[in-house]
Amino acid sequence: DIQLTQSPSFLSASVGDRVTITCRASQGISNYLTWYQQKPGKAPKLLIYGASTLHSGVPSRFSGSGSGTEFTLTITNLQAEDFAAYYCQQLNAYPLTFGGGTKVEIK
Amino acid sequence: EVQLLESGGGLVQPGGSLRLSCAASGFTFSVYTMTWVRQAPGQGLEWVSTIRGSGGVTYYADSVKGRFTISRDDSNNMLFLQMNSLRAEDTAVYYCAKGETDWGQGTLVIVSS
């Protein structure tokens, strides 16, 4: 099974900050990686697919990069509505797997 | 507009069974891959099972293989998850999802005596 290791698991940031979340795969997954945002009590929302393609309607301050085993999600100019949990997921092979998540909280 | 509405969650004793349903609308259900994902209280997301469209090939997480069965009724735009031999660790909110883009609001399953 492909393991995804997200880091950090928790980060504290301020409005206007730039934050970067890393997702490392235990083996190469090409660009079959998605990023989700989840707010408390709500279903996850797709942010990025194919490692770097922004889903329709997602603000351009979100960006993704990477290929193979190392991926990043970057949020520039962090907004109040961005404080949430973020998860990566690999779609390269079954069983599909998620990273452990990163909780972004207000400093 | 895509809509996914889960139902069937509730309280069940260990060893019991439950059948979750997901009513889909707003898209051509039969051609889409559908997935169940769960989230235990205060924990992260866990992929549970996927069923492909147009043929229905299925995939399961090791944690549920042999106990859960995913199925679909394309004529009625419904997705199902039959859960047998339930354990306390199956307690979670269960989401159905259309591909990666659309998710339901979730249904809570609590396995407890």
Side-chain angles (χ1 to χ4, degrees):
Chain A
D1 298 2
I2 298 171
Q3 313 300 321
L4 294 181
T5 303
Q6 256 183 266
S7 60
S9 55
F10 173 88
L11 73 87
S12 183
S14 301
V15 171
D17 283 354
R18 172 188 170 109
V19 301
T20 299
I21 299 168
T22 298
C23 180
R24 289 189 173 88
S26 60
Q27 62 190 76
I29 59 171
S30 184
N31 66 336
Y32 293 103
L33 190 98
T34 60
W35 289 97
Y36 297 93
Q37 177 193 68
Q38 187 182 32
K39 296 183 179 179
K42 301 294 187 181
K45 289 186 176 180
L46 177 65
L47 294 175
I48 288 168
Y49 61 93
S52 60
T53 303
L54 208 61
H55 181 52
S56 175
V58 174
S60 59
R61 63 181 179 272
F62 291 91
S63 64
S65 65
S67 183
T69 61
E70 187 145 341
F71 303 86
T72 58
L73 172 69
T74 300
I75 312 170
T76 57
N77 190 22
L78 195 69
Q79 298 297 296
E81 60 266 30
D82 301 335
F83 292 96
Y86 294 85
Y87 295 92
C88 57
Q89 183 193 24
Q90 66 82 18
L91 302 174
N92 183 71
Y94 290 95
L96 306 183
T97 45
F98 287 92
T102 296
K103 190 173 183 182
V104 178
E105 290 200 347
I106 301 173
K107 185 182 288 184
Chain B
E1 179 194 4
V2 172
Q3 291 195 358
L4 299 168
L5 185 62
E6 303 95 337
S7 61
L11 175 64
V12 61
Q13 292 189 338
S17 298
L18 215 52
R19 189 195 199 204
L20 304 185
S21 301
C22 174
S25 61
F27 63 101
T28 305
F29 178 76
S30 61
V31 304
Y32 280 91
T33 293
M34 299 295 295
T35 292
W36 289 98
V37 172
R38 69 184 180 184
Q39 187 169 36
Q43 302 301 309
L45 301 172
E46 180 187 12
W47 172 79
V48 173
S49 183
T50 291
I51 184 167
R52 292 200 180 277
S54 305
V57 177
T58 59
Y59 306 88
Y60 297 94
D62 287 345
S63 58
V64 307
K65 200 173 294 182
R67 301 188 299 122
F68 290 12
T69 302
I70 191 172
S71 62
R72 61 193 301 158
D73 177 352
D74 289 342
S75 61
N76 289 298
N77 295 347
M78 295 290 295
L79 177 71
F80 303 103
L81 186 67
Q82 177 67 43
M83 304 187 296
N84 299 331
S85 303
L86 282 161
R87 307 165 180 166
E89 54 265 36
D90 296 318
T91 293
V93 173
Y94 285 74
Y95 296 100
C96 74
K98 163 187 167 284
E100 295 77 53
T101 58
D102 298 281
W103 296 57
Q105 85 292 343
T107 188
L108 177 61
V109 172
I110 299 173
V111 184
S112 174
S113 55

